[in-house]
Amino acid sequence: VEPVLSRSMPPALAASISDERTSRALSTLTAGLLKELRNDQLVHEAVTSFANDALGNETLKQLTLEVLIMGANSVMEEPRVRAAWMDVIKSAVKDALNDEEFMCAIRTTVKDSLQDSSMYGAAAQGVVGALNPFKRS
């Protein structure tokens, strides 16, 4: 029975949540469940203990990182999620470029970097190279 379930369950689950109403209902249910779990002290302590133990286990840390990367890559294939993230990134960059404190920090960092003669030389070479109309690509 197990091979049949393992082959048929993921497509069946994907089909069941692909409907927008079902997807919204599942999202609402998940949000409610997560809210309840956040407020449960025993769950909080168990997750905290697991996380602390996991930080010391290199194999588990690597596995967790791989799962998170696979999940993030999978989610980013969804056009709505990708569009939402792009909106967030664009907004963050726009805010950063209009933030005087951030821009001052960038200018200071660039200025400090260019005081190093090798960094200045590399930057100048890059600018000249970028402006060279006869450069081979």
Side-chain angles (χ1 to χ4, degrees):
V1 174
E2 186 177 325
V4 172
L5 289 178
S6 66
R7 285 193 307 270
S8 63
M9 285 305 287
L13 183 60
S16 71
I17 63 172
S18 64
D19 177 81
E20 182 130 358
R21 282 179 289 157
T22 306
S23 183
R24 258 185 280 146
L26 187 58
S27 176
T28 302
L29 177 66
T30 304
L33 178 64
L34 289 174
K35 183 179 178 184
E36 291 297 320
L37 288 175
R38 274 190 217 105
N39 294 330
D40 187 316
Q41 189 62 31
L42 290 175
V43 170
H44 177 72
E45 290 171 6
V47 170
T48 302
S49 175
F50 172 77
N52 287 334
D53 290 346
L55 288 174
N57 183 328
E58 285 301 317
T59 304
L60 187 56
K61 195 185 314 183
Q62 184 62 35
L63 177 65
T64 303
L65 182 61
E66 289 172 14
V67 168
L68 289 172
I69 290 170
M70 286 175 20
N73 287 338
S74 176
V75 166
M76 289 306 287
E77 291 174 5
E78 171 66 38
R80 291 182 301 173
V81 173
R82 187 180 309 129
W85 269 108
M86 289 307 295
D87 287 345
V88 168
I89 291 168
K90 288 176 188 176
S91 177
V93 169
K94 183 179 174 183
D95 288 349
L97 292 175
N98 290 322
D99 183 328
E100 217 25 68
E101 187 177 339
F102 174 78
M103 291 307 294
C104 181
I106 294 292
R107 282 191 293 273
T108 302
T109 301
V110 170
K111 181 179 149 197
D112 291 347
S113 297
L114 292 177
Q115 288 178 353
D116 177 358
S117 62
S118 61
M119 289 292 286
Y120 181 83
Q125 187 177 8
V127 169
V128 170
L131 297 174
N132 183 358
F134 303 108
K135 142 179 115 166
R136 296 180 186 165
S137 13

